[in-house]
Amino acid sequence: MTERQKLWELIMSQWLEKFPFLKQYGASRLYYRTDIFLIGIWLEKGGYGISYEPNLVVKPLWSGVSNSSENCLCKPLYTGDRRRYWKDIDNKTDLKQHDLFFKRYNDNPNPLYDQVLNGIISYDWIYKEAVHYFTEKNKYHEYYFYDNWMFMELMLALSLYFEDSVLMRKATKAFDRFIWQSEKRLKNDNLMGIRGPGVVDWYEHFKRSRIKIFDSRESLMAVCERNSKLKKITTLNKGEMVDSPPLLKEGFSKEMKNLFMRIFYPTRFRW
């Protein structure tokens, strides 16, 4: 084992000690599992030395499980930190400086993340995180569909898992509208910023697989159960998903309604 690998193991052990409910998943991820998500921290490595950015990750189990940041909710764990990556660590002296850096951030933890990273995740929390995350991602992409359909998948999965008929009607309507809008754009072989015959193949596969997955709660759970049988997933701790009603069940507040409109405005969607 190289000196750098030893330093990285020490860093991982710090995070595991801070969030003991998480277990290591690969070289740089710390997760626990639920029925439909993997949830935890991804220490995304930078390009120089041992530098990394700690990200909070919600990884859907219905889309298969990979080590990429695609097809998931992935945001900086410390949103007040303006630096993209934590500083380079090349030797034990640097590690001591890193320890001070680590302590400074963890002396003032976000209590909401503490609860989530210790195994309790609520319907209300996932719902609001998804709305805010995909709204921010969608601000400047008028013709970029990826974030729109990923958001709808999360809403469909939540509505099925928690048997929320109100959210299901809204998410299904948005999904159908996405299909219709996509087919219009495919006439020019232009979808998600890509041109060529591969776009049609991608879209047809997407439509077939997604409609089948979200046909019912049983279909969703069957896919998630199959994808969660990987050995490294079954060894993760099992967290609890709490059915705390989101704001949607009480009726939209003005703020949340505006957020939905901003998510779907680029593609002219209306809920």
Side-chain angles (χ1 to χ4, degrees):
M1 184 181 293
T2 65
E3 186 67 22
R4 186 167 288 183
Q5 288 172 328
K6 290 179 181 177
L7 291 173
W8 185 250
E9 280 201 350
L10 289 172
I11 291 170
M12 291 292 285
S13 68
Q14 288 179 322
W15 286 96
L16 285 166
E17 184 178 359
K18 171 63 182 174
F19 297 106
F21 192 73
L22 304 180
K23 287 191 175 181
Q24 189 165 348
Y25 181 96
S28 57
R29 287 167 171 77
L30 306 168
Y31 286 152
Y32 67 89
R33 61 190 172 97
T34 68
D35 291 330
I36 57 176
F37 299 112
L38 296 183
I39 302 168
I41 299 172
W42 174 32
L43 304 181
E44 180 188 6
K45 291 187 179 180
Y48 302 97
I50 300 176
S51 60
Y52 67 92
E53 179 186 29
N55 292 292
L56 179 75
V57 176
V58 178
K59 187 77 172 175
L61 281 172
W62 62 83
S63 296
V65 182
S66 68
N67 288 333
S68 73
S69 61
E70 295 180 352
N71 205 26
C72 67
L73 190 158
C74 179
K75 60 185 292 186
L77 184 63
Y78 298 105
T79 53
D81 184 11
R82 294 183 180 180
R83 283 167 287 195
R84 178 77 170 94
Y85 289 99
W86 289 24
K87 62 196 304 178
D88 293 347
I89 306 147
D90 288 318
N91 53 55
K92 290 184 178 179
T93 302
D94 292 340
L95 184 63
K96 289 180 181 179
Q97 296 177 354
H98 171 271
D99 291 347
L100 294 173
F101 194 68
F102 181 84
K103 185 176 185 300
R104 186 201 322 162
Y105 278 90
N106 287 285
D107 278 347
N108 299 292
N110 183 326
L112 180 61
Y113 283 178
D114 264 6
Q115 183 184 45
V116 169
L117 293 174
N118 281 287
I120 300 175
I121 184 163
S122 69
Y123 181 8
D124 180 60
W125 182 86
I126 304 173
Y127 174 84
K128 288 188 288 187
E129 284 290 301
V131 169
H132 285 279
Y133 176 74
F134 288 106
T135 297
E136 291 300 311
K137 291 277 283 182
N138 244 328
K139 274 184 178 178
Y140 308 108
H141 300 293
E142 183 174 355
Y143 298 107
Y144 192 59
F145 276 26
Y146 175 84
D147 294 322
N148 295 85
W149 65 257
M150 187 61 226
F151 175 78
M152 284 182 283
E153 285 193 12
L154 282 167
M155 295 298 106
L156 285 166
L158 288 175
S159 66
L160 287 170
Y161 186 80
F162 291 110
E163 299 180 308
D164 183 344
S165 59
V166 176
L167 182 58
M168 171 56 73
R169 286 196 300 272
K170 290 181 176 293
T172 301
K173 181 179 178 181
F175 187 83
D176 290 342
R177 195 162 174 79
F178 172 81
I179 297 292
W180 172 77
Q181 189 81 359
S182 300
E183 289 173 343
K184 286 180 61 179
R185 294 193 176 192
L186 278 173
K187 291 179 180 179
N188 297 320
D189 284 340
N190 188 350
L191 182 63
M192 294 176 66
I194 307 170
R195 292 181 180 274
V199 176
V200 178
D201 295 339
W202 172 87
Y203 174 70
E204 290 301 324
H205 172 73
F206 160 77
K207 189 167 62 171
R208 288 195 307 271
S209 62
R210 274 8 186 207
I211 289 176
K212 183 177 179 181
I213 289 172
F214 299 110
D215 180 60
S216 66
R217 191 180 191 277
E218 290 71 24
S219 299
L220 172 67
M221 298 304 294
V223 172
C224 292
E225 184 178 358
R226 183 172 67 248
N227 290 336
S228 66
K229 287 183 177 178
L230 289 173
K231 185 176 180 181
K232 59 183 180 179
I233 294 180
T234 57
T235 58
L236 299 175
N237 287 325
K238 183 74 178 290
E240 179 184 3
M241 291 185 68
V242 181
D243 187 7
S244 57
L247 297 177
L248 180 63
K249 288 190 175 182
E250 302 295 329
F252 286 115
S253 67
K254 184 177 180 180
E255 178 188 4
M256 296 302 285
K257 189 170 183 178
N258 287 340
L259 285 172
F260 269 110
M261 293 302 103
R262 285 164 56 196
I263 284 174
F264 291 105
Y265 175 77
T267 47
R268 308 299 186 264
F269 290 153
R270 291 294 181 268
W271 285 55

